[in-house]
Amino acid sequence: MGEGAARGFRLTQGDGPDRYEQYVAPVMEPFVEALLDVAGLRPGLALIDVACGTGFVARGAAVRMAGGGSRVVGVDIVPGMLRTAAARAADDGVVVEWQEAEAGDLPYAAGAFDVVLCQQGMQFFPDRGAAVAEFVRVLRPGGRVAVTTWVEAVRSPFFAAQQQAYEQVGGVELGDWCGSAFGCSAAELTGLFRAYGLGDVVAREVVAEVHLPALSEYVPGCLAATPWGQAVAEARPDGLARVGEVVRGLLAPYASADGAVTLPFVSSLVTGVRRGGAETRI
């Protein structure tokens, strides 16, 4: 991949985090639910959501775990994402602790949590092994880790169209940076889980048909909610508009009369249990 692929996913400009909350939520929702479904959640547990972004997973977990002395923590490296997360949690009336920290250096004691979750963040970590090592360190014996990562972009037409459009408008390096979102396979995750001492490792695919509103309205907002969209907008005044035109053209065969689309999205979901105690169960 090009140098840009190493930049990860950091929305640091303007209203990027708010746009992420608005435009990425429809795509993330079914995968957030699938992640929470396998996490063994119940009141009284302690949970950490690593690379929490604007808090989709942490807020959902807080609702499911309400009462009984539960603890939900959301961790991210981007202050703006955490500010948006905190504001949304307050609006929803759920209690979540928000902490700025890196996945490979979590500021928590060993065995502090029953559940570690990571929704679409692992592929952007500079050292995935260090992140998994931290997941295991902060997890109590018998606790569970659950992680999602997108499969290859070609299996999700919206993502495939985005990557092709960024490469066409912004060049190979920008296309590679966008492509880094799809660069962590289930095979890599299962290998890392086992290498760092997790047992009962299971990998599965989650496929969801997601309805998106009219592409003429949705695509510009969604593109502006990604770091590669922000990069192409900085590089050329018409960059984001040109990317949007290409995306809409590629997705035109899927569009209904009003411009809306229903598209498949595919993610890997990998779980593991820390050895040394009884598994945390509902």
Side-chain angles (χ1 to χ4, degrees), residues 103-104 118 121-137 139 145-149 183-203 270-275:
C118 183
M122 180 71 72
Q123 56 266 52
F124 301 112
F125 298 160
D127 187 338
R128 293 169 189 158
V132 174
E134 278 292 86
F135 294 176
V136 174
R137 183 187 67 79
L139 194 64
V145 177
V147 172
T148 60
T149 57
C184 183
S185 68
E188 180 180 353
L189 286 175
T190 56
L192 285 170
F193 278 25
R194 292 182 177 121
Y196 286 92
L198 294 171
D200 297 333
V201 178
V202 177
V270 181
T271 58
V273 176
R274 184 180 174 187
R275 296 188 177 98

Side-chain angles (χ1 to χ4, degrees), residues 74-270:
V75 169
D76 202 274
I77 59 173
V78 181
M81 297 292 259
L82 293 171
R83 285 193 293 270
T84 296
R88 286 303 303 267
D91 289 343
D92 293 347
V94 296
V95 178
V96 179
E97 301 172 32
W98 305 105
Q99 174 67 49
E100 183 180 346
E102 295 186 5
D105 187 19
L106 298 173
Y108 299 99
F113 297 97
D114 300 289
V115 181
V116 177
L117 302 181
C118 183
Q119 165 83 353
Q120 303 303 341
M122 180 71 72
Q123 56 266 52
F124 301 112
F125 298 160
D127 187 338
R128 293 169 189 158
V132 174
E134 278 292 86
F135 294 176
V136 174
R137 183 187 67 79
V138 301
L139 194 64
R140 293 170 185 155
R144 173 167 291 205
V145 177
V147 172
T148 60
T149 57
W150 299 118
V151 303
E152 57 270 26
V154 69
R155 297 185 59 195
S156 301
F158 188 84
F159 292 148
Q162 279 193 87
Q163 188 173 359
Q164 183 175 336
Y166 281 121
E167 182 169 343
Q168 181 175 324
V169 174
V172 173
E173 182 179 336
L174 189 61
D176 281 350
W177 185 14
C178 176
S180 66
F182 316 100
C184 183
S185 68
E188 180 180 353
L189 286 175
T190 56
L192 285 170
F193 278 25
R194 292 182 177 121
Y196 286 92
L198 294 171
D200 297 333
V201 178
V202 177
R204 68 208 81 186
E205 280 193 354
V206 181
V207 181
E209 295 285 331
V210 178
H211 180 77
L212 300 175
L215 293 176
S216 59
E217 299 175 5
Y218 180 78
V219 169
C222 185
L223 295 179
T226 66
W228 30 91
Q230 292 182 347
V232 77
E234 285 186 343
R236 49 189 303 172
D238 66 340
L240 206 56
R242 290 193 59 194
V243 171
E245 290 174 4
V246 175
V247 170
R248 291 194 298 274
L250 291 170
L251 295 179
Y254 299 92
S256 59
D258 64 356
V261 295
T262 300
L263 298 169
F265 290 81
V266 188
S267 177
S268 297
L269 195 168
V270 181

